[in-house]
Structures are given as C-alpha cells and as structure tokens.
Amino acid sequence: MAEIYVRSTDGNNSDNGTTWALSKATLAGASAIDAPGYFIFLSPVHAESSATAQTIALAGVSSNPVLVVGALDTAEPPTDVSLGPTVRTTSGA
C-alpha cells in the first residue's frame, strides 16, 4: 500500500506526492497517480475551491479502495487524523 500526500499551501502537481515536502497540490493531482489500495492524505491546511463542478475518479475498487483521509502533516505516514482539509465547489450545478 502506498501513500500520496496533498497540501494546497505548498504542494505542486508536478511533484510525485511521496512526502509532505513533495506533496501534490490538489486531490485531482493525486487521483492522476493513485492505484487500488492507496492512501491519499490531505493536510489539515489543505483547501481547494472551484467555481465549476468537479469529478475526481479514484482508481480503487470495492475490494481494494483508495482511502482519502484528512491527516496531520507532522509525520510520514501520519499518526493522527484531522478534520481541517476542504475540497468544495461554489457552483450550483
């Protein structure tokens, strides 16, 4: 099982997402490289907002899902969860 780290404040979708220092900037950036069984960790300071509806397709299947977890960004892998990250759309559609 592998991990992908996502933090909007200093992440970059060109990075490989393997550490907080090399985190992806968006959940869509992480979904572009995920595979069944992966954990995607969102930093507590992560915040995404889009004016249009978004579709994010994760590679998981029911027998081997991709898990997206809000997590503290003080350790790799994280040792505690966080309720801070947000991914939202401002569109009414």
Side-chain angles (χ1 to χ4, degrees):
M1 137 180 59
E3 294 114 15
I4 301 172
Y5 297 87
V6 181
R7 183 167 49 199
S8 59
T9 56
D10 62 353
N12 186 319
N13 284 338
S14 297
D15 286 336
N16 63 20
T18 58
T19 66
W20 289 119
L22 295 171
S23 63
K24 295 289 188 177
T26 64
L27 184 55
S31 73
I33 63 166
D34 73 328
Y38 274 43
F39 279 87
I40 298 176
F41 294 117
L42 303 179
S43 166
V45 297
H46 181 74
E48 288 184 53
S49 182
S50 175
T52 59
Q54 302 291 305
T55 299
I56 298 172
L58 301 173
V61 295
S62 59
S63 62
N64 199 12
V66 171
L67 300 176
V68 179
V69 179
L72 295 182
D73 56 9
T74 55
E76 296 165 4
T79 56
D80 206 355
V81 297
S82 169
L83 299 176
T86 60
V87 178
R88 67 186 188 107
T89 182
T90 57
S91 170

